[in-house]
Amino acid sequence: MAEDASPAATPRGTPRTPKYQVIRDRLMEQIRSGTLSPGCRLPTERELADRFGVTRMTVRQAITTLVQSGMVVNRRPLGNFVAESLCGVASRRVVNLVCVGSGSEDAGVFLEHGVAAARSRGIEARVLQAHAGVEHLAVATVRGPDPTVLIGGPGGAHRELHRAVHTAADRVVVVGVRMDHAGIASVVGDDALGIRLAVGHLHGKGHERIALVGSTPEDDHPTMELQVELWRQAMDELGLARGTPDRHVIRLEPVPAGGTAMASKLAVEAYHRRRRVRATAYIGLSAETGVGVLAALHGSGVRVPRDASVVGYATHLRASLCVPPLTGIDVDVGGHLAAALDRVERMLSAEEGAPVLPLLQVVPPFLIERGSVGPRR
């Protein structure tokens, strides 16, 4: 029926998807579902134009994109046909893995685990790293018909991507950032538990002056402020918040090169120059931050773990290759992706009567002990 095939009305204030993309996506859905089977002739341009209420030129643009993708073959003068090579496409399951901010040290870890986890479930994973210059590809991917796991969230700097995620909320899962308040499925780690594990582990070794080293060179980053507050609470629970513990909060400054590790190294070196009474233990809020802290302490003649201890995050391979190997909080990448793919499978199956998954799923971290923490001397 024409009413079923026409694009749904767009709510006021929601960015409109170009009409040719709506037609393309609707035809792709019909091809993937088997409604339009391999070898089947597509409706004529005039029929599609009448069905969608658009011009034939708009329909032609949509079909051209399908021909370019290999899903449709043009056989003049007979018309346009679903490619015979797509036999079995109805049973193919696809997920987009889009990583925002591919410069992050954890981006490769999440993508590698994501591809392997999807493959183990019989799902084809398409990977895109949305670094500067290719944001438009991420926007087009999210607006497409296949579900997307967005690693890192759209962020304020990616306005078009942010709009696309809201428009496609029913087929997007965000990992690492909470967007459940906007009706978007989210999988996040338990930051409070992670910091409590780090503080508790160091306190158990006799450390009381425990510094927190930021994970971002943006001083006003909201995540950093949240982590500082969680650190204060963890310190207070153990009676370690005497005086002004904020003097042991080490914030990073932007550096021209070297990334977070270099920014952390420079920040800790500056802290050592300013403070006579220094921390005996440090918590770095990422694996790269922990690496930078170790480098700064080594450069200052501080022996780890004999003179000072360091806890970072253990997700990245570099954490295990440091000297000494970095004790760290493991955010459980596998747990994050398993939760995200559980929801993706629900999207792909569209099974009626299936239990409703909560919009927010929190994955607990755990501590990996290596060689960078020792008793306070």
Side-chain angles (χ1 to χ4, degrees):
M1 295 175 62
E3 291 79 11
D4 294 335
S6 60
T10 304
R12 181 175 297 178
T14 302
R16 292 183 177 274
T17 302
K19 291 181 179 179
Y20 84 91
Q21 290 185 11
V22 173
I23 300 169
R24 177 204 64 190
D25 293 346
R26 191 63 56 84
L27 292 173
M28 287 177 66
E29 289 173 3
Q30 293 178 357
I31 292 171
R32 291 188 186 282
S33 67
T35 303
L36 292 173
S37 58
C40 175
R41 186 173 71 85
L42 268 61
T44 66
E45 289 181 1
R46 184 179 297 279
E47 289 171 339
L48 289 171
D50 291 342
R51 182 182 303 177
F52 286 94
V54 297
T55 65
R56 291 179 62 181
M57 183 176 296
T58 300
V59 171
R60 191 171 301 136
Q61 187 178 6
I63 292 176
T64 297
T65 61
L66 292 174
V67 171
Q68 292 172 343
S69 71
M71 297 187 77
V72 170
V73 177
N74 180 264
R75 297 175 183 165
R76 294 179 181 176
L78 300 177
N80 298 295
F81 294 79
V82 179
E84 297 282 357
S85 60
L86 294 180
C87 287
V89 71
S91 62
R92 189 177 70 176
R93 304 193 302 166
V94 178
V95 63
N96 303 308
L97 298 179
V98 178
C99 189
V100 180
S102 58
S104 166
E105 69 270 11
D106 291 337
V109 177
F110 270 92
L111 290 176
E112 181 181 353
H113 278 73
V115 171
R119 185 180 295 126
S120 70
R121 297 172 181 239
I123 302 174
E124 176 188 344
R126 294 189 299 221
V127 173
L128 175 65
Q129 293 188 332
H131 53 77
V134 298
E135 292 93 341
H136 64 287
L137 296 179
V139 171
T141 299
V142 170
R143 287 177 175 167
D146 297 314
T148 295
V149 174
L150 188 65
I151 300 168
H158 302 270
R159 293 184 179 179
E160 285 300 318
L161 182 56
H162 198 278
R163 294 191 187 100
V165 168
H166 281 270
T167 302
D170 61 337
R171 56 183 186 276
V172 173
V173 184
V174 177
V175 174
V177 177
R178 285 193 62 170
M179 296 189 69
D180 54 296
H181 59 279
I184 298 167
S186 307
V187 180
V188 298
D190 190 336
D191 287 339
L193 176 57
I195 291 178
R196 284 203 305 272
L197 285 172
V199 171
H201 182 61
L202 292 168
H203 182 251
K205 298 291 185 178
H207 296 280
E208 295 186 355
R209 294 196 302 274
I210 302 171
L212 186 74
V213 186
S215 59
T216 170
E218 299 173 53
D219 290 337
D220 59 348
H221 196 288
T223 301
M224 174 63 182
E225 294 310 316
L226 172 61
Q227 290 168 326
V228 168
E229 182 57 34
L230 294 174
W231 168 79
R232 289 194 191 105
Q233 292 174 9
M235 296 283 284
D236 188 59
E237 288 172 3
L238 295 173
L240 303 178
R242 295 186 296 271
T244 310
D246 283 13
R247 66 176 177 269
H248 296 308
V249 174
I250 303 174
R251 300 176 185 274
L252 310 190
E253 297 290 343
V255 294
T260 303
M262 179 58 71
S264 304
K265 178 178 182 295
L266 296 176
V268 173
E269 288 173 346
Y271 165 83
H272 269 248
R273 289 193 297 269
R274 291 195 309 267
R275 299 289 178 192
R276 288 188 177 182
V277 179
R278 301 165 185 151
T280 62
Y282 300 80
I283 298 173
L285 292 177
S286 73
E288 291 292 293
T289 303
V291 170
V293 173
L294 285 175
L297 295 176
H298 287 320
S300 301
V302 178
R303 296 165 296 180
V304 178
R306 181 181 176 86
D307 301 327
S309 293
V310 181
V311 174
Y313 273 70
T315 305
H316 197 265
L317 177 63
R318 288 183 66 180
S320 62
L321 300 179
C322 294
V323 179
L326 185 65
T327 292
I329 304 301
D330 193 305
V331 299
D332 192 1
V333 172
H336 278 72
L337 291 165
L341 290 173
D342 283 346
R343 185 169 290 276
V344 166
E345 289 208 281
R346 192 66 55 84
M347 295 173 182
L348 291 170
S349 66
E351 181 182 348
E352 293 186 8
V356 177
L357 295 175
L359 277 179
L360 177 65
Q361 292 180 266
V362 180
V363 179
F366 53 90
L367 182 78
I368 296 180
E369 293 190 53
R370 294 194 177 108
S372 62
V373 173
R376 183 190 174 198
R377 295 180 182 271

Coordinates of all heavy atoms in Angstrom, one line a residue, residues 261 264-265 286-296 298 310 312 316 318-319 322 326:
A261 N 49.7 10.7 27.0 CA 50.9 10.3 27.8 C 51.9 11.4 28.0 O 52.4 11.6 29.1 CB 51.6 9.1 27.1
S264 N 50.4 14.0 30.4 CA 50.4 13.5 31.8 C 51.9 13.6 32.4 O 52.0 14.0 33.5 CB 50.0 12.0 31.8 OG 48.7 11.9 31.3
K265 N 52.8 13.3 31.6 CA 54.2 13.4 32.0 C 54.6 14.8 32.4 O 55.1 15.1 33.5 CB 55.2 12.9 30.9 CG 56.7 13.0 31.2 CD 57.5 12.5 30.1 CE 59.0 12.5 30.4 NZ 59.5 13.9 30.6
S286 N 43.5 6.9 32.6 CA 43.5 6.1 31.4 C 44.8 5.4 31.4 O 45.7 5.6 32.2 CB 43.3 7.0 30.2 OG 44.5 7.7 29.9
A287 N 44.9 4.4 30.4 CA 46.2 3.7 30.3 C 47.3 4.6 29.9 O 48.4 4.6 30.4 CB 46.0 2.6 29.3
E288 N 47.0 5.6 29.0 CA 48.0 6.5 28.5 C 48.4 7.4 29.6 O 49.6 7.8 29.7 CB 47.5 7.3 27.3 CG 47.3 6.5 26.1 CD 48.6 6.0 25.5 OE1 49.4 6.9 25.0 OE2 48.9 4.8 25.5
T289 N 47.5 7.8 30.5 CA 47.8 8.7 31.6 C 48.8 8.0 32.6 O 49.8 8.5 33.0 CB 46.6 9.1 32.4 OG1 45.7 9.8 31.5 CG2 46.9 10.1 33.5
G290 N 48.5 6.7 32.8 CA 49.4 5.9 33.7 C 50.8 5.8 33.1 O 51.8 5.9 33.9
V291 N 50.9 5.6 31.8 CA 52.2 5.6 31.1 C 52.9 6.9 31.3 O 54.1 6.9 31.6 CB 52.0 5.3 29.6 CG1 53.3 5.4 28.9 CG2 51.5 3.9 29.4
G292 N 52.2 8.0 31.2 CA 52.8 9.3 31.4 C 53.3 9.5 32.8 O 54.4 10.1 33.0
V293 N 52.5 9.1 33.8 CA 52.9 9.2 35.2 C 54.2 8.4 35.5 O 55.1 8.9 36.1 CB 51.8 8.7 36.1 CG1 52.2 8.7 37.6 CG2 50.6 9.6 36.0
L294 N 54.3 7.2 35.0 CA 55.5 6.4 35.1 C 56.7 7.1 34.6 O 57.8 7.1 35.2 CB 55.3 5.0 34.5 CG 54.4 4.0 35.2 CD1 54.2 2.8 34.4 CD2 55.0 3.6 36.6
A295 N 56.5 7.7 33.4 CA 57.7 8.3 32.7 C 58.1 9.5 33.5 O 59.3 9.8 33.7 CB 57.2 8.8 31.3
A296 N 57.2 10.3 34.1 CA 57.5 11.5 34.9 C 58.2 11.1 36.1 O 59.2 11.7 36.5 CB 56.2 12.3 35.2
H298 N 60.0 8.3 36.7 CA 61.3 7.8 36.3 C 62.2 8.9 36.1 O 63.4 9.0 36.5 CB 61.2 6.9 35.1 CG 60.6 5.5 35.3 ND1 60.9 4.8 36.5 CD2 59.8 4.8 34.6 CE1 60.2 3.7 36.4 NE2 59.5 3.6 35.3
V310 N 51.7 3.5 41.3 CA 50.8 4.0 40.2 C 49.8 3.0 39.8 O 50.1 1.8 39.6 CB 51.7 4.4 39.0 CG1 50.8 5.0 37.9 CG2 52.8 5.3 39.3
G312 N 46.7 2.7 36.8 CA 46.1 3.3 35.7 C 44.9 2.5 35.2 O 44.3 1.9 36.0
H316 N 44.6 -0.9 27.6 CA 45.5 -0.8 26.4 C 46.7 -1.7 26.6 O 47.2 -1.9 27.8 CB 45.9 0.6 26.3 CG 46.5 0.9 25.0 ND1 47.9 0.9 24.8 CD2 46.0 1.2 23.8 CE1 48.2 1.2 23.5 NE2 47.0 1.4 22.9
R318 N 49.7 -1.2 26.1 CA 50.9 -0.5 26.6 C 51.0 -0.7 28.1 O 52.1 -0.6 28.7 CB 50.9 1.0 26.2 CG 51.2 1.2 24.8 CD 51.3 2.7 24.5 NE 52.4 3.4 25.2 CZ 52.6 4.7 25.0 NH1 51.9 5.4 24.3 NH2 53.7 5.2 25.7
A319 N 49.8 -0.8 28.8 CA 49.8 -1.0 30.2 C 50.7 -2.2 30.7 O 51.3 -2.1 31.7 CB 48.4 -1.1 30.8
C322 N 54.8 -1.6 30.2 CA 55.6 -0.6 30.9 C 56.6 -1.3 31.8 O 56.5 -2.5 32.1 CB 54.6 0.2 31.8 SG 53.5 1.2 30.9
L326 N 52.0 -1.9 34.4 CA 51.1 -1.0 35.1 C 49.9 -1.8 35.7 O 49.1 -2.4 35.0 CB 50.5 0.0 34.1 CG 49.7 1.2 34.7 CD1 50.4 2.0 35.7 CD2 49.1 2.0 33.5

